[in-house]
């Protein structure tokens, strides 16, 4: 697991340090402050590979460094420092054997995945062994070739192969699909089905009610969760196969990096996606498994609210990135239960003044100014009559702001007969 990550002259701050919790790490903050950047750097620290472009130092000639600490199963964590080498745009690392973090899976927002397997990628002495497996969005479905070798058949072919062969992977896939299903309807595997005339293979389907729908035609949200379920099963079983060939014990530790899990998901699914991911990993691990370490970047108040019942300050943390004085700051240890998604929206984590439309917020601000005896500076809302009309248009009849406004304006007998 990743313990610490410290950046110097990298990104939008002269220095930035994150101390990662052992289980759930939620990364929140406005766009452009570096949430995905932190995940990219965490992947590099855990695997010594880049899942995307190499991180670049801040402009200028100051020395740029990345320090990190990875804890293995038994070995004490050893600090590692890398200084950017401008000659070849690289971050050199010590040649000694690195600490092994377990299986690392990076779920990217673009639909791609990266997998680092300790049986297939760790401490490479074989020049033909890849440093990691990186899948673009299309590779997830169609398979991946690396240096002339077929390393993965892809979701559709593997699914059919597992299903028709009644392989253990198919049983695992069904269990994981059940775990990550939306609350409204379970993801149920349907019979294989031929989709296109002239095509020589069947394709997997899902049962929607009594109808079989090809997974290739499923919605974007369903497809993303199908890809997640498939990749968990693929990475888990491929690791065990490789470990058996090597005569080694398979690894039970997992690190998950997840960029915006709410992408494409309905609110009902957003508030279950992370708890269901933990449940899915439990199903793969069985008894005796270790809780995964999860690093999750999110913009969703429903995702944060969904973790309130299970949040443990001893094992979990909220990392809030904010801009202060033109520099990005990481604040930790500030988790506070908010009770619902609306309260999360107006909390420091998401920073809205009100969980309303901009126009409704402006109307209420204008009304509050008038109630204080001040002049409203909101254009078009300088009089009580204009504010009242705006409130009528923008607020529902049962809105909790109405009593304050009606009492203040003495419009007690009704909206139409008042003096507003």
């Amino acid at each position: 697991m990743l313990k610490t990550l410290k950046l110097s002259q990298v990104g939008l701050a002269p220095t930035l340090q994150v101390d990662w919790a052992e289980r759930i790490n939620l990364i929140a903050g406005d766009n452009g402050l570096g949430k995905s950047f932190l995940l990219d750097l965490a992947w590099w620290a855990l695997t010594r590979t880049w899942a995307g472009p190499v991180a670049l130092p801040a402009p200028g000639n100051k020395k740029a460094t990345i320090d990190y600490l990875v804890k293995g199963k038994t070995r004490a964590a050893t600090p590692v420092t890398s200084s950017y080498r401008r000659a070849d745009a690289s971050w050199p690392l010590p040649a000694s054997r690195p600490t092994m973090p377990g299986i690392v899976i990076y779920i990217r927002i673009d639909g791609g995945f990266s997998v680092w397997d300790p049986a297939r990628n760790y401490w490479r002495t074989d020049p033909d062994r890849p440093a990691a497996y990186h899948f673009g969005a299309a590779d997830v479905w169609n398979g991946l070739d690396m240096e002339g070798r077929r390393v993965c058949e892809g979701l559709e072919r593997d699914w059919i192969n597992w299903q028709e062969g009644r392989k253990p992977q198919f049983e695992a896939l069904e269990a994981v699909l059940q775990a990550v299903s939306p609350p409204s309807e379970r993801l149920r595997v349907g019979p294989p089905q031929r989709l296109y005339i002239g095509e020589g293979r069947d394709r997997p389907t899902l049962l929607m009610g009594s109808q079989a729908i090809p997974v290739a035609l499923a919605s974007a949200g369903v497809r993303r969760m199908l890809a997640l379920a498939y990749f968990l099963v693929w990475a888990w079983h491929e690791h065990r196969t490789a470990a058996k060939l090597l005569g080694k014990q398979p690894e039970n530790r997992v690190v998950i990096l997840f960029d915006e899990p709410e992408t494409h998901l309905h609110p009902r699914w957003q508030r279950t996606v992370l708890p269901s991911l933990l449940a899915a990993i439990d199903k793969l691990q069985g008894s005796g498994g270790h809780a995964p370490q999860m690093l999750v970047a999110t913009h969703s108040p429903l995702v944060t609210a969904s973790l309130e019942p299970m949040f443990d300050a001893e094992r979990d943390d909220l990392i809030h990135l904010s801009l202060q004085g033109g520099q990005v700051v990481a604040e930790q240890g500030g988790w506070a239960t908010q009770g619902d998604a609306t309260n999360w929206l107006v909390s420091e984590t998401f920073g809205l003044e009100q969980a309303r439309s901009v126009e409704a917020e402006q109307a209420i601000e204008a009304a509050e100014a008038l109630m204080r005896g001040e002049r409203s500076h909101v254009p078009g809302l300088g009089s009580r009559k204009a504010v009242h009309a705006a409130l009528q248009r923008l607020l529902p009849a049962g809105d909790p702001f109405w009593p304050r406004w009606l009492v203040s304006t003495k419009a007690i007998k009704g909206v139409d007969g008042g003096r507003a």
Side-chain angles (χ1 to χ4, degrees), residues 97 147 248 301 307 341:
R97 183 186 293 268
E147 299 180 358
K248 295 182 177 181
L307 296 177

Side-chain angles (χ1 to χ4, degrees), residues 1-6 44-46 48 66-82 93-101 122:
M1 59 178 284
L2 186 60
K3 294 285 289 180
T4 63
L5 182 66
K6 182 178 180 181
W44 172 79
L46 288 161
R48 296 187 164 207
I66 302 173
D67 296 86
Y68 66 86
L69 194 64
V70 175
K71 185 179 183 302
K73 184 185 296 186
T74 56
R75 290 175 53 188
T78 303
V80 176
T81 298
S82 178
L93 289 163
S96 58
R97 183 186 293 268
T99 304
M100 200 273 286
Y122 178 62

